[in-house]
Amino acid sequence: MKQLSFLNFLLLFSCATDKPKSEIEQWQSQAAQVEIIRDDFGVPHIYGKTDADAVFGLLYAQCEDDFNRVEQNYIWATGRLAEVEGEDALYSDLRAKLFMTEAEAKANYDKSPEWLKKLCDAFANGVNYYLHTHPEVKPKLLTRFEPWMPMYFSEGSIGGDIERISTEKIAAFYEGAMEIPELEEVKLKIEKEAEEPQGSNGIAISGELTQSGNPLLLINPHTSFYFRGEVHVVSEEGLNAYGAVTWGQFFVYQGFNEKTGWMHTSTYTDVMDEFKETLVKNEDNVFYQYGEELRPVTSSEIVLKYKIGDDIKEKIFPTYRTHHGPITHMVEGQWTASAMMWEPVKALEQSFIRTKQDGYEGFREMMDIRTNSSNNTVYADAEGNIAYFHGNFVPKRDIRFDYSLPVDGSNPQTDWQGLHTVDENILVLNPENGWIQNCNSTPYTSALGNSPKKKDYPYYMSKDQENFRGVHAIQLLTDHKGYTIDSLIKLAHDPYLPAFEALIPGLVKAFDAQPVSDLKEAVEVLRQWDYRTSKESIAMTLAHFYGIISYSKAVRPSAMNGMELIEYWGGSSPNTEKLQLFQETITQLESDFGTWKMPWGEVNRYQRLNGDIVQTFNDSLPSVPVGFASGTWGALAAYGARYTTPGAKKIYGTRGNSFTAVVEFGDKVKAKTILAGGQSGNPKSPHFDDQTQMYINIDWKDAAYYREDVLNRAAETYVPGKRK
């Protein structure tokens, strides 16, 4: 037998005696492939050898900035909120589990392509290494993160489609197979209409209308404040994306690279449907009718844990599913299944691939994956293209049926018939007018006379529904040119509020027809107003509270959307009602503040006292005046409250322009950005509130994109786990 060479002997010996690296050693090895540079505003610029290394560093940096929110998003998404917040959160958890259990999330991870698995592994490793290197951090629940957890990110964003499924209806069904009473549904609808609207603004400007000849893109998501951090993530595998990342995501959700930019707005495309099932019971088995056949209803049990005091208890829910989806509620006495896009692997693929495109051709090809279901996309690139994709995942339906209502699930003709192609969806590319806008409004005004035509599409592609933000944007964009980054920022903060031009003149006319001496001075303030918001405006305070009371108490004819309601209350609603509601407005202001003569900035405030996800507000503690207004009134720079604190009388903003950017694409990409507060959720950090006054003053910072610029702005440079 041939003798082994000494070298071969050594190799065999070393292979036999080498121990597998421990998990901690693996984390340390990957961390060594990552560099994090923090700029002067604390924005992390993450550089990795591979995409997976960059993802590892991205999650590590996110946890440094706000582990609280990273953890919270996964507690919610994976259906474990009740273990932290108690029994009231059970039906949020049940909703999550109805669409995907932990076993199903693991199965989706297992079937993912290898490149995606590596990113999911890096996600988990980055968070777990952060927890390992920060033993002082005490998670509320999740002491270890797993690579299957990102599967719960649906099509990329925490929330998305699943939040449109009512937990109240789920509770009514699973507590007693009941429907929500009609009066309660009406009440919920009114409360929803009165809320600060969700959504965003996206504007793309062709180079033909800019001073530089380069396209511009406004990235203006309206979300909860501190909902997204600002990041820059780079790898040697072609990744170089800058923008907003929802805490816990491993990709830039809204942002740009050197060649392309993408902005998502919530869509009115119909992407979810409800199917009323016809049940047939046979002994202990339950079937549902589907054409001429009976199919078994799939049943299983979901065990949920919930917190009571210091104890954790369990509740078992028998759950049911048809091929349409899980049974979520009752409609007219029938079990009803909810259908929505649920392709977590493809959705994660699309969300990451989006960030690496270098032109329209590749971006358009990426859209063919068709899993970005809850969003429209406003787009611009360095080739000079601007585009608008209205929706992405759009099921084909038989237009004989009204899918705005639950349809008969026993009729096979109501089933989805595949998906529309991107070319069949509503698409705008390089319109002659030179600009595109979407403010969660109808796509049929997205490019003025060059907009898509409603008659060319099935009715379910979009509601033909305008809103005051859309009206405002169109007024500002029409017949204007010479745009720069700074002038587009100024446009995005225009103080005019078109809703009040529709609402207030009707009140003034009502007063003139039936003068009330106690209201004369206040009405005169409104009569002289130019419908522009500012910190100094008393009229803005009067108009806001009058509008809010109208939403709460004014008579509302049926089948009117929010914009139509404002126009009705400002027009043909009874004069007596207008004056009565305005009297209530004056009474409320005098009760809360001692006078109705309150400048808007004295009422409308910014306050962030700590890193809590739900802030507690206090009128006696420091806060800052803000001149912005609610998106309900047509403010592009939306600033509004989704929740209040009992006892607090002032308005404290909780959502609106959380992260915003304007990007210019040319030989080199340029951008300015702003966060509502700062990069960090830690009150001890200098970046907890270092952008607050800049945000209020519309004084945006330059984004450091190229490495030489990052190095010039560098405040800290470190490897994960070795920050000084």
Side-chain angles (χ1 to χ4, degrees), residues 53-217:
D53 295 335
V55 165
F56 178 98
L58 173 61
L59 268 298
Y60 190 94
Q62 286 185 52
C63 291
E64 288 181 308
D65 286 335
D66 208 329
F67 174 78
N68 185 28
R69 281 175 167 76
V70 172
E71 183 191 19
Q72 179 73 11
N73 281 346
Y74 280 96
I75 291 172
W76 175 87
T78 58
R80 299 186 65 184
L81 195 59
E83 295 177 52
V84 175
E85 297 187 0
E87 196 169 6
D88 288 346
L90 270 175
Y91 291 101
S92 172
D93 290 348
L94 180 59
R95 178 176 63 185
K97 299 291 190 184
L98 284 173
F99 283 91
M100 191 160 67
T101 63
E102 183 176 314
E104 291 167 330
K106 291 176 179 176
N108 276 288
Y109 166 79
D110 289 340
K111 73 177 185 181
S112 297
E114 285 304 311
W115 69 266
L116 184 58
K117 281 185 180 178
K118 289 179 181 178
L119 300 186
C120 291
D121 293 343
F123 150 85
N125 291 340
V127 181
N128 291 330
Y129 187 49
Y130 168 80
L131 290 174
H132 169 71
T133 56
H134 292 76
E136 74 281 3
V137 173
K138 306 300 180 186
K140 290 177 288 189
L141 181 67
L142 303 178
T143 56
R144 182 178 177 84
F145 282 66
E146 301 293 345
W148 45 264
M149 287 180 174
M151 296 297 151
Y152 282 93
F153 270 69
S154 183
E155 63 357 315
S157 176
I158 285 289
D161 296 333
I162 198 168
E163 285 196 308
R164 292 162 60 182
I165 295 174
S166 166
T167 53
E168 290 87 358
K169 290 183 179 181
I170 292 175
F173 176 76
Y174 281 96
E175 286 290 351
M178 299 289 289
E179 295 176 54
I180 287 186
E182 185 175 348
L183 285 177
E184 187 172 339
E185 280 213 69
V186 171
K187 180 186 175 190
L188 289 171
K189 182 174 182 292
I190 291 173
E191 289 175 352
K192 187 75 175 173
E193 288 175 344
E195 286 181 345
E196 175 65 21
Q198 299 186 85
S200 309
N201 307 324
I203 295 175
I205 309 286
S206 165
E208 295 176 0
L209 300 180
T210 67
Q211 282 189 17
S212 65
N214 299 325
L216 292 170
L217 178 66

Side-chain angles (χ1 to χ4, degrees), residues 60 69 88 131 150 164 187 214 288-289 397 436 445 467 512 537 549 574 639 673 693 695 700:
Y60 190 94
R69 281 175 167 76
D88 288 346
L131 290 174
R164 292 162 60 182
K187 180 186 175 190
N214 299 325
Y288 67 102
Q289 187 173 343
R397 291 110 158 166
I436 293 168
T445 60
N467 63 36
D512 290 343
S537 175
I549 283 179
Y639 186 88
T673 67
Q693 203 59 54
Y695 159 78
W700 292 17

Side-chain angles (χ1 to χ4, degrees), residues 156-311:
S157 176
I158 285 289
D161 296 333
I162 198 168
E163 285 196 308
R164 292 162 60 182
I165 295 174
S166 166
T167 53
E168 290 87 358
K169 290 183 179 181
I170 292 175
F173 176 76
Y174 281 96
E175 286 290 351
M178 299 289 289
E179 295 176 54
I180 287 186
E182 185 175 348
L183 285 177
E184 187 172 339
E185 280 213 69
V186 171
K187 180 186 175 190
L188 289 171
K189 182 174 182 292
I190 291 173
E191 289 175 352
K192 187 75 175 173
E193 288 175 344
E195 286 181 345
E196 175 65 21
Q198 299 186 85
S200 309
N201 307 324
I203 295 175
I205 309 286
S206 165
E208 295 176 0
L209 300 180
T210 67
Q211 282 189 17
S212 65
N214 299 325
L216 292 170
L217 178 66
L218 170 68
I219 298 172
N220 186 193
H222 294 163
T223 63
S224 299
F225 289 155
Y226 334 119
F227 183 65
R228 294 194 174 113
E230 184 172 345
V231 302
H232 180 203
V233 56
V234 186
S235 82
E236 295 178 12
E237 294 183 333
L239 177 65
N240 195 348
Y242 192 113
V245 59
T246 303
W247 299 111
Q249 286 181 339
F250 60 71
F251 49 85
V252 172
Y253 184 57
Q254 290 162 317
F256 61 94
N257 58 38
E258 187 176 30
K259 299 298 184 182
T260 67
W262 57 97
M263 166 61 207
H264 299 312
T265 64
S266 300
T267 186
Y268 283 142
T269 304
D270 185 0
V271 298
M272 300 174 62
D273 286 319
E274 298 177 350
F275 293 87
K276 295 187 294 184
E277 308 291 13
T278 301
L279 302 182
V280 176
K281 290 186 178 180
N282 181 7
E283 296 180 354
D284 293 333
N285 299 314
V286 180
F287 299 84
Y288 67 102
Q289 187 173 343
Y290 184 68
E292 298 299 319
E293 61 178 306
L294 291 178
R295 295 184 174 185
V297 174
T298 303
S299 61
S300 60
E301 286 188 343
I302 291 176
V303 179
L304 295 178
K305 297 179 180 180
Y306 62 98
K307 183 179 180 181
I308 291 187
D310 295 328
D311 298 328

Side-chain angles (χ1 to χ4, degrees), residues 505-525:
L507 171 63
V508 174
K509 287 180 181 178
F511 175 83
D512 290 343
Q514 300 174 242
V516 180
S517 59
D518 291 349
L519 302 179
K520 186 177 187 301
E521 188 178 1
V523 169
E524 288 305 314
V525 170

